[in-house]
Amino acid sequence: MLTSPGHFYLPDLLSLSTPFHSSTNPHYKEAAAESRAWINSYNVFTDRKRAFFVQGCNELLVSHTYPHAGYAQFRTICDFVNLLFVIDEVSDDQNGADARKTGEVYLNAMRDPEWDDGSPLAKMTKEFRARLLGSCGPRSFARFLKHSKDYINCVALEAEYRERGEVLDMEAFKHLRRENSAIRLCFGLFEFSLGIDLPDEVFQESTFSSLYWAAADMVCWANDVYSYNMEQAKGHTGNNIVTVLMKAKGFDLQAASDYIGIHYAELMNRYIADKARLPSFGPSIDTDVQRYVTAMENWPIGNLVWSFETNRYFGPRHAEIKRTRLVALKPREEDT
């Protein structure tokens, strides 16, 4: 492919994802409107952030990634993804110390229903927590709290690295990205959406763990190459596998994008192989494990489909970019 310094081609991740099948949630329209009204009632966005929130269509992402969820569960997950958007957008403009303070508000409200500092973020978190605990099992909720702590810690670390202009090596970045992407929190809601509560031993088993991380990494790597243009325009490229690859391997932008396609294919092959060799956890657990695995497959394909259905990453030309995969680099926002 011929490219110029101002353009690059995306890897064809949709073609690599044919083992997974895209779907939508039948409750999308009604529950999405309720969740959007809920988040807007707190008036937490500036006009610019509100426009970005609207064009992102977070609820549509939830529709593609939790197509199996019942109405109450779907609405609650929409609320959570919108809540994540608030945390992410606020912390993106903060230094490490302030991002950690923002995160602590969320964590304190998730841990203790009586805690309240009067902030909109605390109130939103408390309302989400109450809905989540309506049908969330104790084991999955305990894991959700742990992953929440890890997520907030890594969001703060990301802000600190951004302050210093530091780009991590590939191994360190892999662990940071798995946590600050919030994919573990999103995967953690599968059990809530399915009405199951898996034992910790399932997540600790090596084959299941490999399968889990293959799916999670597919989401993270795809999200990074899709969001790269938007992030480089903001000057926020340090927390992106594209930048990490260019530094670690001496790649140019196109070579980094191509490598992501190669690695995504490897992750898909690993996922398929691991799924075929999952051990039995006992007759009372195996059915729930299979339901979790099926739910997990909705995230990689759902994330891809959603990315080309909204203006979030590719603007109004998203349908054209889906067809051609050619991305023109945007100028830096401070230069426009």
Side-chain angles (χ1 to χ4, degrees):
M1 294 179 181
L2 296 176
T3 59
S4 73
H7 298 77
F8 75 103
Y9 283 93
L10 298 169
D12 191 1
L13 304 183
L14 281 166
S15 293
L16 295 172
S17 300
T18 52
F20 300 156
H21 304 288
S22 176
S23 186
T24 57
N25 192 293
H27 306 297
Y28 164 62
K29 185 171 288 189
E30 185 179 356
E34 286 189 9
S35 184
R36 182 155 300 200
W38 173 72
I39 203 91
N40 284 331
S41 71
Y42 283 95
N43 199 30
V44 293
F45 298 127
T46 62
D47 288 344
R48 180 174 173 273
K49 295 284 189 183
R50 183 176 291 105
F52 189 53
F53 170 69
V54 170
Q55 77 174 16
C57 298
N58 296 334
E59 304 90 355
L60 182 59
L61 173 63
V62 178
S63 181
H64 284 306
T65 51
Y66 303 87
H68 57 275
Y71 184 87
Q73 290 75 23
F74 179 75
R75 160 65 203 278
T76 300
I77 297 169
C78 284
D79 289 351
F80 178 68
V81 173
N82 284 333
L83 180 61
L84 280 180
F85 182 90
V86 172
I87 296 170
D88 188 55
E89 286 302 302
V90 170
S91 63
D92 261 358
D93 295 328
Q94 292 179 319
N95 60 31
D98 288 343
R100 197 172 294 278
K101 289 178 184 176
T102 296
E104 287 294 332
V105 173
Y106 163 78
L107 279 179
N108 287 333
M110 279 298 298
R111 289 168 175 153
D112 181 2
E114 302 302 320
W115 186 90
D116 193 346
D117 67 349
S119 68
L121 178 57
K123 293 177 182 177
M124 292 160 61
T125 303
K126 286 158 69 71
E127 289 184 21
F128 160 71
R129 182 187 190 276
R131 284 196 278 271
L132 177 67
L133 283 176
S135 58
C136 186
R139 290 177 295 205
S140 57
F141 183 68
R143 287 190 292 267
F144 192 84
L145 286 181
K146 179 186 182 303
H147 297 327
S148 288
K149 180 180 178 181
D150 294 339
Y151 163 69
I152 292 301
N153 181 55
C154 286
V155 166
L157 286 174
E158 175 195 345
E160 292 170 5
Y161 296 139
R162 186 169 60 242
E163 276 185 273
R164 299 196 295 265
E166 183 175 349
V167 177
L168 299 178
D169 61 45
M170 288 193 63
E171 186 64 20
F173 178 79
K174 178 181 75 172
H175 295 291
L176 177 79
R177 194 71 183 107
R178 285 173 169 180
E179 300 297 347
N180 73 2
S181 67
I183 193 61
R184 301 200 77 183
L185 292 172
C186 293
F187 279 20
L189 293 173
F190 290 143
E191 292 163 277
F192 165 72
S193 69
L194 294 167
I196 61 178
D197 193 28
L198 295 174
D200 291 339
E201 290 75 18
V202 172
F203 295 90
Q204 295 162 359
E205 196 280 324
S206 59
T207 303
F208 183 91
S209 178
S210 177
L211 178 81
Y212 175 102
W213 285 119
D217 287 347
M218 276 189 265
V219 176
C220 292
W221 284 60
N223 184 263
D224 276 10
V225 72
Y226 282 4
S227 66
Y228 178 79
N229 193 23
M230 177 188 74
E231 291 176 3
Q232 67 83 25
K234 294 180 178 180
H236 291 175
T237 57
N239 182 54
N240 192 298
I241 190 61
V242 174
T243 302
V244 173
L245 285 168
M246 288 193 288
K247 179 183 177 184
K249 295 183 176 290
F251 287 160
D252 62 14
L253 178 54
Q254 187 58 58
S257 178
D258 293 343
Y259 184 91
I260 287 170
I262 293 168
H263 186 64
Y264 189 96
E266 293 170 347
L267 291 169
M268 180 63 76
N269 290 337
R270 192 179 96 201
Y271 182 94
I272 293 169
D274 287 339
K275 182 180 177 181
R277 64 188 186 91
L278 271 177
S280 172
F281 297 92
S284 64
I285 299 175
D286 285 347
T287 299
D288 288 347
V289 170
Q290 289 304 318
R291 293 177 70 201
Y292 187 101
V293 169
T294 299
M296 192 159 52
E297 293 174 4
N298 291 313
W299 247 102
I301 186 62
N303 179 59
L304 300 182
V305 171
W306 165 77
S307 296
F308 290 113
E309 287 183 344
T310 77
N311 290 348
R312 180 172 174 88
Y313 298 138
F314 304 119
R317 296 179 57 238
H318 52 83
E320 177 189 346
I321 292 173
K322 179 182 179 181
R323 178 176 57 83
T324 65
R325 292 187 286 116
L326 180 62
V327 176
L329 291 180
K330 297 164 64 176
R332 287 285 292 269
E333 290 181 0
E334 63 263 32
D335 298 332
T336 59

